[in-house]
Amino acid sequence: MGKRLTFWFFLTFFVVALCFPVSAETETSSSSFTVIVLPDTQGYSDSHPEIFRSQTSWISENNQKLNIKLVVHLGDVVEHPESVEEWRRAKEAMDTLEEKEVTALMAFGNHDYTTLGEERAKNPFNEYFPVSRYGNSILSGTYRTDSADNVFVAFEEGGQRYLFLTVEYRPREEVLAWANGVLEGHPEHLAVIVTHSYMWANGFRTSSGDDIWHGLAKKHSNVRMVLCGHVPGAGVEADYGENGNKVTQILSNYQYYSNGGNGFLRIMTFYPEEGKVRVRTYSPYLDSYKSNEANEFTVGS
């Protein structure tokens, strides 16, 4: 290749690379997998169902490319638990994932309950998102067979075992006892606890968060993360459990942005071989990322 031709070849390559950068969405390795986190969607179910659908449609479209293993909803699926229309809108959006056989693990938020008493299982959540919807997915166990508020999934990916556990809003002592049993029974699984109310953006825990931290999370050496929503903002805080294990606690809630949150969700890419998790915040609705330190960071060594 002559000098002039070589020059124009590399100049053309450089220009093309600038104009068409590699999307961050495709940055996965052979053993990596993705967990998508959906923060509070109550504003979408109430007034902007098209944004909710844009999130789940994007997840479905990128399911194979990102190797999406699980979708985690942080609770407050709806704004008004007595509203049939809001539940219908939420189910319509989440059904998009079921059509692609994407497992969605959904925590219960305070706006998803009509009662917090012993009749919790009779809440509308279980009518629209019953335990039976998991079908033959990776669901591994439940606190009650007639309620989906406390469930867990266990799976292996990239040679590492993982466990994701949902804990109800303001958990009862008997639920924490059950959750402790789940974690004790899976010591070889790296565990992620998913709950609605846990901490503020400044890292301080809510009263419910304190109950979960002292009564569950800090007790087990295999717990690595806690994911939560409920209060506005984004935050990351690390504490050490009783066994010296680092537990990263992550808040995500954008409901006070325009349009009930503008569609921002979390893309968590797990790299089992490296022991790392890369967290990014993206809106399919806006096709935009948030890149400040509370919204783009890496967990692990």
Side-chain angles (χ1 to χ4, degrees), residues 118-136:
E118 291 304 311
E119 299 299 311
R120 290 186 186 213
K122 296 182 180 180
N123 280 286
F125 196 115
N126 285 309
E127 178 182 346
Y128 293 90
F129 299 102
V131 173
S132 60
R133 76 184 176 85
Y134 286 100
N136 296 319

Side-chain angles (χ1 to χ4, degrees), residues 108-119:
F108 280 33
N110 53 302
H111 282 266
D112 301 324
Y113 288 104
T114 53
T115 176
L116 289 175
E118 291 304 311
E119 299 299 311

